[in-house]
Amino acid sequence: MTPHFSLAELTRTDHRSLDNAPDPAALANLHRLAAFLEQVREVLGNRVVVINSAYRSKAVNDAVGSKDTSQHRLGCAADIRVPGLAPDVVVRAVMASGLAYDQLANEFDSWTHISIPNLATTHPRKMALIIDKTGTRLFPADLA
């Protein structure tokens, strides 16, 4: 898909018995997502970006207990880790970069959720969040 992100890693799942093949619309979104992740990688000093989860078919999404409205279902979101960088650092760097992210979240201080708008023609919401055991809240502006 791009120099650093393959379709295989964007559709990888631990639920190997479940079909996780994207439909044509999700595949087009995955191309946009991979290109965006290349920009994120650049912002982070060309560090390795590890994909924990990106596209999820309905069956995979249900198996992981996520909502049907998840942007992962559309191929517009990825949960990533960047070895050597805490999720807060990744969130701050992407927020400061001016990249057109839709959502950005430090999830449980373990990974960063990042998404692009569901449609290429839609403006990004630039919503930054913290998600942890206490719930979901806006990422504090003073931490950005």
Side-chain angles (χ1 to χ4, degrees), residues 35-54:
F36 181 75
L37 290 171
E38 290 288 348
Q39 294 176 340
V40 169
R41 194 176 184 282
E42 212 173 284
V43 162
L44 299 174
N46 290 312
R47 288 178 175 262
V48 171
V49 172
V50 178
I51 308 293
N52 293 344
S53 175

Side-chain angles (χ1 to χ4, degrees), residues 87-88 91 104-112 129-131 139:
D88 269 357
V91 169
L104 188 58
N106 171 346
E107 292 199 45
F108 303 96
D109 275 331
S110 296
W111 66 87
T112 304
L129 306 166
I130 295 174
I131 300 171
F139 194 89

